Amino acid sequence: MYFNDDTDLYRIIGANIKHYRKRCKLTQVQLAEQAKISISYLSKLEAAGCNKSLSISVLNQIANAIGVEISEFFKEVNT
């Protein structure tokens, strides 16, 4: 995997979080609760222009909550 810059990386991760959340038919509130993060933080991560970094630990919590491999967040998804 190659990302042009951090902005590109965060855009792809955020889009994937949103994609998999919707595929699981979860609201942001539900996913935030399951992943034990705040709704505002999740909302910022999913925002298209977000440049907010996140830890691998948080990404793992989100992946576990929606039942996907953490590596899926780094792949370009066509939504």
Side-chain angles (χ1 to χ4, degrees):
M1 287 171 262
Y2 177 81
F3 303 97
N4 294 321
D5 53 31
D6 287 352
T7 302
D8 192 37
L9 171 64
Y10 300 141
R11 178 189 59 78
I12 289 171
I13 291 173
N16 282 323
I17 291 171
K18 185 175 185 176
H19 169 78
Y20 287 111
R21 174 181 61 78
K22 287 184 172 189
R23 192 176 79 176
C24 290
K25 296 179 175 43
L26 294 173
T27 65
Q28 285 184 333
V29 171
Q30 290 169 323
L31 178 54
E33 287 174 357
Q34 290 181 22
K36 296 179 177 50
I37 60 175
S38 73
I39 179 64
S40 63
Y41 186 48
L42 178 59
S43 177
K44 287 176 185 170
L45 292 176
E46 287 189 0
C50 177
N51 63 353
K52 187 160 184 67
S53 65
L54 71 157
S55 70
I56 294 297
S57 176
V58 167
L59 197 56
N60 188 56
Q61 288 169 229
I62 294 169
N64 289 341
I66 55 180
V68 300
E69 294 287 328
I70 197 169
S71 61
E72 293 300 310
F73 292 129
F74 298 97
K75 298 175 183 176
E76 192 87 44
V77 172
N78 297 324
T79 54

